[in-house]
Amino acid sequence: MENYHQKSKWSRFCVMTTTIILIVVVVIAFMPLYNIAERNNIAISIVCGIALIEMIVMGLYYCPVSIIVTQNQLLIRRFFTSKNIPLNEIASVEIYSESTRFLKVCGSGGMFGFYGWYKNKELGRFFIYATNLKELICITLISGKKYMISCEDARNLYNEINHRLSNIQNNEKDNSR
């Protein structure tokens, strides 16, 4: 069985948020270099430069690039690493169409996507890897841990994951006989 692959398409909100924040931080970081009255405040440039590098590295570390479903794993590909979720640890998969009024506990709310710990009334606490809040899938593990992920086409990803899960369950039944 071939691997199933979908890209994580950025929403306009993520593109605008990332662009605006990066521009503001870069301008603040270099302002003392161009303003003679602020030249003595080079510490501001250094702090903003370090913050800029940290935001970019952290954003690229967590930002989802694509979702891959293999025969036995769900891979959330990110720029530097992948988050691997074994399919046999998944209890349920649902297309999430409830409220996206999420409370951010710790993470990003739009810069390089949405990632980190969030919570809401319907789901409780969950970890999100998303670049578009209109195409979300909720994955609940047997342990109770929840992940929200986004991709270009949530319906097709949902169908593919469920198809692979049913294959695993059928194989387990055949092996138990």
Side-chain angles (χ1 to χ4, degrees):
M1 190 178 285
E2 282 189 36
N3 293 345
Y4 178 81
H5 182 270
Q6 260 199 55
K7 291 184 179 181
S8 295
K9 186 176 180 183
W10 284 34
S11 66
R12 279 192 209 146
F13 178 81
C14 286
V15 171
M16 288 176 45
T17 301
T18 302
T19 303
I20 290 169
I21 290 173
L22 290 176
I23 288 170
V24 167
V25 173
V26 166
V27 166
I28 291 172
F30 289 105
M31 195 179 315
L33 301 177
Y34 295 108
N35 187 345
I36 295 170
E38 293 290 326
R39 287 242 170 126
N40 293 334
N41 259 337
I42 203 77
I44 293 171
S45 287
I46 293 169
V47 169
C48 286
I50 291 170
L52 176 66
I53 291 168
E54 181 183 60
M55 286 189 300
I56 291 170
V57 169
M58 192 169 112
L60 292 177
Y61 180 80
Y62 283 104
C63 178
V65 175
S66 64
I67 309 297
I68 300 171
V69 185
T70 69
Q71 200 166 4
N72 57 2
Q73 287 190 26
L74 172 70
L75 304 172
I76 303 168
R77 273 199 44 244
R78 302 175 295 188
F79 281 99
F80 301 132
T81 63
S82 292
K83 171 68 178 169
N84 303 334
I85 301 172
L87 291 179
N88 61 2
E89 291 183 13
I90 295 177
S92 68
V93 179
E94 300 171 17
I95 295 175
Y96 187 78
S97 58
E98 301 295 322
S99 167
T100 54
R101 291 184 183 171
F102 303 146
L103 176 62
K104 180 175 47 173
V105 176
C106 179
S108 171
M111 182 168 169
F112 291 105
F114 299 88
Y115 53 84
W117 288 104
Y118 282 69
K119 67 180 183 177
N120 72 358
K121 284 190 299 187
E122 294 88 16
L123 297 172
R125 190 173 163 178
F126 57 92
F127 199 94
I128 190 168
Y129 292 103
T131 53
N132 184 350
L133 295 180
K134 293 181 180 165
E135 294 287 335
L136 290 173
I137 291 179
C138 179
I139 297 169
T140 305
L141 302 183
I142 294 168
S143 66
K145 193 172 188 177
K146 294 179 182 166
Y147 291 97
M148 293 283 274
I149 60 174
S150 73
C151 56
E152 286 183 314
D153 186 351
R155 171 70 56 197
N156 281 337
L157 181 61
Y158 165 82
N159 291 336
E160 187 64 32
I161 294 171
N162 278 319
H163 174 71
R164 306 268 174 140
L165 288 174
S166 68
N167 285 345
I168 289 173
Q169 291 169 350
N170 290 337
N171 287 340
E172 287 174 359
K173 286 179 187 176
D174 290 343
N175 291 338
S176 66
R177 290 182 191 173

